[in-house]
Amino acid sequence: MPINIAVVDDHVMVREGLIQLLELDKDIKVVGQAGDGTQCLELLKNMDVDVLLLDINMPTMNGLEVLKIMRERKDNTKVIVLTIHNEVEYLVKAVDIGINGYMLKDSDSDELKKAIYCVNEGETYIQPKLSPMLNSRLINRNEDEKKIECLTRREFEVLKLLAEGMFNKEIASKLNISERTVKNHVSNIFKKITVADRTQAAVFAIKNNIITV
């Protein structure tokens, strides 16, 4: 039985090129396509799809939002994110939500087909050149989690407000504490999360989802 594939990408030429490439393989059958996230979710309601090739940057709803909804629906369709993004943050977010594969669009056809076969068999396929980057980020994230655990509840609150752009005086007013106390908390936070200034602290908070932007 062929593997039923759906291709989701807002660029028509990319989508059609992928479909033509995949249809050369007798073990793969393209059963659907979509140009945005909303169309993708509708497609999945009406078609039996084994593996979904999903772009990240799309109108109406991006690929990660689609993936999140799919997992909330308990949709067991295997998903390979196929994207131009080689930034580790996109990859980590996709892994956290629940991808089965992650490939860059400059991959060759043999590697893409290998990924499709792997995820269809229940394995996870991360493009090999991305794996060191992912592993390094996950190690760093574990270290960051330990740093966060060292923060007191009040220090965590101060870090969150600091990262949202508040000055010490505003934080003091918000938490009903003295400005001097805020300064002490900020100093302790910098030491515990090993940053040198407020900008680095804000980046730390964003990177670890303490605040969202």
Side-chain angles (χ1 to χ4, degrees), residues 158-170:
V158 170
L159 174 59
K160 185 174 184 295
L161 296 174
L162 179 158
E164 289 173 353
M166 286 191 180
F167 297 110
N168 287 356
K169 187 175 182 179
E170 295 172 308

Side-chain angles (χ1 to χ4, degrees), residues 29-151:
K29 180 181 180 182
V30 178
V31 296
Q33 59 175 297
D36 63 46
T38 303
Q39 292 176 7
C40 173
L41 293 173
E42 284 301 312
L43 180 152
L44 291 171
K45 286 181 182 178
N46 302 311
M47 292 186 176
D48 182 18
V49 177
D50 297 316
V51 179
L52 179 70
L53 299 185
L54 181 64
D55 188 22
I56 288 182
N57 287 344
M58 296 186 297
T60 71
M61 189 184 301
N62 69 45
L64 296 182
E65 290 171 328
V66 170
L67 180 59
K68 187 174 182 181
I69 291 172
M70 288 177 63
R71 296 316 181 219
E72 288 171 352
R73 288 181 177 177
K74 309 299 183 186
D75 187 325
N76 293 320
T77 302
K78 307 292 194 305
V79 178
I80 298 175
V81 168
L82 193 60
T83 179
I84 61 170
H85 293 295
N86 62 358
E87 293 92 342
V88 68
E89 294 306 324
Y90 282 100
L91 175 52
V92 170
K93 285 180 182 177
V95 168
D96 284 343
I97 298 170
I99 54 161
N100 305 96
Y102 195 98
M103 302 279 296
L104 298 180
K105 286 185 176 179
D106 62 2
S107 307
D108 62 43
S109 60
D110 287 341
E111 188 168 20
L112 177 58
K113 290 176 183 178
K114 180 180 179 181
I116 290 171
Y117 299 144
C118 282
V119 303
N120 188 59
E121 292 298 321
E123 299 177 26
T124 299
Y125 190 92
I126 306 296
Q127 192 167 351
K129 70 179 182 181
L130 299 176
S131 293
M133 182 172 66
L134 175 63
N135 292 337
S136 175
R137 179 65 186 91
L138 293 177
I139 290 170
N140 289 337
R141 186 168 67 174
N142 289 338
E143 292 175 352
D144 286 350
E145 287 173 353
K146 291 176 183 177
K147 291 175 183 177
I148 292 169
E149 288 173 0
C150 290
L151 297 174

Side-chain angles (χ1 to χ4, degrees), residues 176-187:
N176 197 28
I177 56 179
S178 72
E179 192 171 348
R180 182 182 181 84
T181 300
V182 173
K183 288 180 181 178
N184 289 336
H185 284 318
V186 170
S187 177

